[in-house]
Amino acid sequence: MTTEQTRAQASAPTASTTPAAAAPARPAHGIVPLFIGLMLSMLLAALNQTVLSTALPTIVGELNGVSLMVWVITAYILASTIMMPIYGKLGDQIGRKPLLIGAILVFMAGSVVGALAQDMTALIIARVIQGLGGGGLIILSQAAIADVVPARQRGKYMGIMGGVFALSSVAGPLLGGWFTEGPGWRWAFWINLPLGVVALAAALRFLDLPRPPGRPRLDWGGMALVTVATTALILVTTWGGHSYAWGDPVILGLAALAVVAGVAFVLVERRAAEPILPPHLFHRRNFNLTTAAGLLTGVAMFGVLGYMPTYLQMAFGVDATASGLLMIPMMAMIVGASTLSGHWISRHGRYKAYPIVGSVIVAASMVLLSFLDPAQPVWVASGMLALLGLGLGLSMQVLVLVVQNTFPSAQVGTATAANNYFRQIGATLGSSLVGSIFAARLSALITERMPAAAAGAAGNHESLTPAAVAQLPGPVRELVVHAYSDALTPIFLWVTPLAVLAAVLLLFVREHPLATTIERDIAPEPLATGSLSIVAPAGPGGDEDGPARPAPQRQERDASAERPASR
């Protein structure tokens, strides 16, 4: 018997096998209020990642911590990354609504701490608290929509979710610039409180999601080890070559700790009853390819997005609000590309080409951005960013859809969280590496180019802000601006091969049909019926490469058959 025949025979329904139930999709009028609640939660998290971008130069200048600027970004990404697989697994076990409510409350608490921060240490702690809540806002929202919308129709919803990120990327820098120039940068944190209250009310009122039966089984060992491994890895990329030499014992020790914790994590997950990152996820071809592509794109994307508003202010002499406006073309392209591609996917059921084309466009935009120069017209920078937005809009949300189509409903939260976890690892590496390399290059270039007589006029480069640079004498200002540009733009070219590699990997994705129903496990029949139903534990499901199906139930013979007929 061939392997294909064996596989087909094993997957065919028999008299003793009952397939998982196909839950009907909710009517559109029932999905709309639920979707509004999820969109508000995603907006809260997405806006937080962009509102500080234009305010950050002023914040670190006031708090005297330019060298720590990278940590304001990295602390949030690190904390949210660690929490992603935890939220994903717990959401599959106890339901997503209570976790989403808790995540909103934690995020709001972090916002209060940030608004009251008086130094960089307090600000970084606030960003960590925000990340602990923010890590669940996006993951739980993406997984929740998969609970009620089949994959075939999910494309248009995922496209709109991608538009939320674009909207926040426009509104965030604009709000950050307005706060900086008006009531003060602390309102970049206070604004999260009214938004959080609205998101919380929407979650309590609208989110009527299925709740899995049974009690959760927590993977404490896995949680601890993934925290240690992730933190050690990010510290290596943040401190290496900047705070410490790459060969320093501190860096080598952290690298060793990351490797040891990573290996221990794999061993623990293989034996855990309910691992937060189940090993069987990595048996699926499409999951591996899209996850790797998302990680690589994350490095490139966050390396650019985290520092472009600051670059626009420094290099082109625009204020914080104007730098936010200059990002609008990129965000408009993200909204248009993600929304239209989502509708086309729902209509035609084809999705493979979009992320491939998107990754190629991202690579092309990175090459163009590496040639930015302060002497160019500012619209050139906006055009390059628009091209980047087109590539991101075609790719990022589609990768999540492919992952969700690969696994059954009972595992979609864990799979979505795992995919986003590795994408965020890429984002953290991108922010850390670009930030560390940029800070080191900027310090070296200013020291190298600044005449001794002008050093006093320039002041300490740790406290440089766009406003301070604008007040410098003409020749000194030009020197600082070109040093800033020359320190950052070549890094964009260095990360271009990552986007190219992502496109190559996505060529090998297998385009399986999108599911038209939501598969759920059938609940066991009550014993009073005279039957015993045994539900098989959730496993990888499906064949090695095809879309997964929930493990079928195995039904025992009717108990009445074991008794002799009454006379």
Side-chain angles (χ1 to χ4, degrees):
M1 183 179 292
T2 66
T3 302
E4 290 76 7
Q5 291 172 328
T6 302
R7 182 178 297 168
Q9 186 177 18
S11 61
T14 65
S16 61
T17 301
T18 303
R26 291 192 184 188
H29 67 271
I31 293 176
V32 171
L34 181 147
F35 190 59
I36 291 173
L38 298 179
M39 295 267 283
L40 287 171
S41 298
M42 291 189 68
L43 178 63
L44 186 64
L47 193 63
N48 172 73
Q49 297 185 42
T50 58
V51 72
L52 289 180
S53 58
T54 46
L56 197 55
T58 301
I59 294 174
V60 298
E62 282 190 17
L63 300 180
N64 296 315
V66 172
S67 63
L68 295 175
M69 183 171 70
V70 63
W71 273 106
V72 179
I73 299 173
T74 303
Y76 178 87
I77 298 177
L78 176 58
S80 62
T81 301
I82 291 171
M83 292 302 298
M84 280 182 176
I86 299 174
Y87 278 118
K89 187 63 179 181
L90 288 179
D92 284 342
Q93 289 186 322
I94 68 174
R96 312 193 206 284
K97 181 174 181 176
L99 289 176
L100 185 59
I101 292 171
I104 293 173
L105 291 174
V106 172
F107 183 86
M108 292 171 65
S111 299
V112 172
V113 176
L116 299 175
Q118 299 298 317
D119 54 37
M120 288 297 292
T121 301
L123 182 65
I124 292 170
I125 291 173
R127 295 289 285 165
V128 170
I129 298 173
Q130 283 187 313
L132 295 178
L137 297 178
I138 295 174
I139 289 298
L140 295 171
S141 298
Q142 288 179 336
I145 200 66
D147 286 337
V148 294
V149 180
R152 177 62 184 266
Q153 298 302 318
R154 205 177 303 152
K156 56 187 177 184
Y157 292 98
M158 299 298 285
I160 297 173
M161 284 184 166
V164 170
F165 288 97
L167 175 63
S168 67
S169 298
V170 173
L174 290 176
L175 284 173
W178 183 76
F179 290 144
T180 301
E181 297 166 4
W185 61 262
R186 295 182 188 278
W187 277 93
F189 291 94
W190 288 126
I191 190 64
N192 292 325
L193 297 188
L195 290 176
V197 169
V198 175
L200 188 62
L204 291 169
R205 176 66 179 85
F206 297 137
L207 298 191
D208 180 20
L209 301 173
R211 185 166 184 171
R215 299 179 60 184
R217 304 176 66 180
L218 301 182
D219 178 19
W220 295 109
M223 294 179 189
L225 287 170
V226 76
T227 299
V228 172
T230 305
T231 303
L233 177 62
I234 301 312
L235 288 177
V236 168
T237 59
T238 303
W239 288 348
H242 181 49
S243 300
Y244 301 91
W246 287 106
D248 190 277
V250 172
I251 298 300
L252 296 178
L254 286 171
L257 177 61
V259 172
V260 171
V263 172
F265 174 74
V266 172
L267 296 177
V268 167
E269 295 300 273
R270 294 179 63 182
R271 292 169 173 79
E274 291 288 347
I276 59 172
L277 286 178
H280 74 73
L281 296 179
F282 301 94
H283 298 166
R284 308 306 298 270
R285 175 195 187 109
N286 280 1
F287 175 82
N288 292 334
L289 291 172
T290 54
T291 298
L295 186 151
L296 295 170
T297 304
V299 174
M301 178 177 67
F302 278 87
V304 173
L305 296 185
Y307 295 92
M308 276 309 298
T310 304
Y311 175 83
L312 293 173
Q313 292 179 62
M314 289 288 194
F316 295 99
V318 300
D319 58 28
T321 302
S323 70
L325 291 171
L326 290 172
M327 303 287 285
I328 287 181
M330 181 181 78
M331 306 316 157
M333 293 302 292
I334 293 178
V335 171
S338 63
T339 303
L340 289 177
S341 61
H343 277 281
W344 290 333
I345 290 170
S346 293
R347 182 174 181 179
H348 302 290
R350 306 302 297 271
Y351 53 86
K352 179 177 178 177
Y354 297 107
I356 296 173
V357 174
S359 297
V360 172
I361 295 175
V362 168
S365 67
M366 290 292 178
V367 173
L368 293 176
L369 285 168
S370 69
F371 289 101
L372 274 178
D373 187 271
Q376 295 172 330
V378 71
W379 62 262
V380 173
S382 289
M384 295 176 182
L385 289 172
L387 187 64
L388 175 63
L390 175 62
L392 295 177
L394 290 174
S395 58
M396 298 306 284
Q397 293 301 312
V398 181
L399 298 182
V400 177
L401 178 63
V402 175
V403 169
Q404 292 183 345
N405 190 55
T406 304
F407 296 96
S409 178
Q411 301 172 27
V412 75
T414 302
T416 302
N419 178 263
N420 278 270
Y421 169 78
F422 287 104
R423 182 188 300 180
Q424 282 292 86
I425 287 291
T428 311
L429 290 174
S431 294
S432 300
L433 287 172
V434 171
S436 298
I437 296 172
F438 165 66
R441 285 173 55 84
L442 178 61
S443 177
L445 288 174
I446 289 181
T447 302
E448 173 188 332
R449 299 178 182 180
M450 184 70 67
N460 185 359
H461 74 273
E462 287 283 328
S463 300
L464 285 176
T465 65
V469 171
Q471 298 301 318
L472 293 175
V476 177
R477 182 175 64 250
E478 290 298 315
L479 188 151
V480 172
V481 165
H482 281 86
Y484 204 95
S485 178
D486 293 343
L488 182 63
T489 53
I491 303 176
F492 299 153
L493 184 62
W494 301 347
V495 299
T496 299
L498 301 180
V500 174
L501 180 57
V504 173
L505 291 176
L506 292 171
L507 290 172
F508 298 95
V509 167
R510 294 188 175 180
E511 189 175 40
H512 301 294
L514 295 172
T516 56
T517 59
I518 303 170
E519 299 292 341
R520 304 199 192 286
D521 292 336
I522 300 175
E525 298 178 13
L527 296 180
T529 62
S531 301
L532 297 177
S533 296
I534 302 176
V535 181
D543 57 58
E544 181 181 0
D545 295 317
R549 293 184 297 241
Q553 294 178 332
R554 197 171 60 249
Q555 190 173 30
E556 300 292 343
R557 289 181 297 172
D558 193 319
S560 63
E562 301 296 333
R563 299 190 300 268
S566 59
R567 295 182 181 178

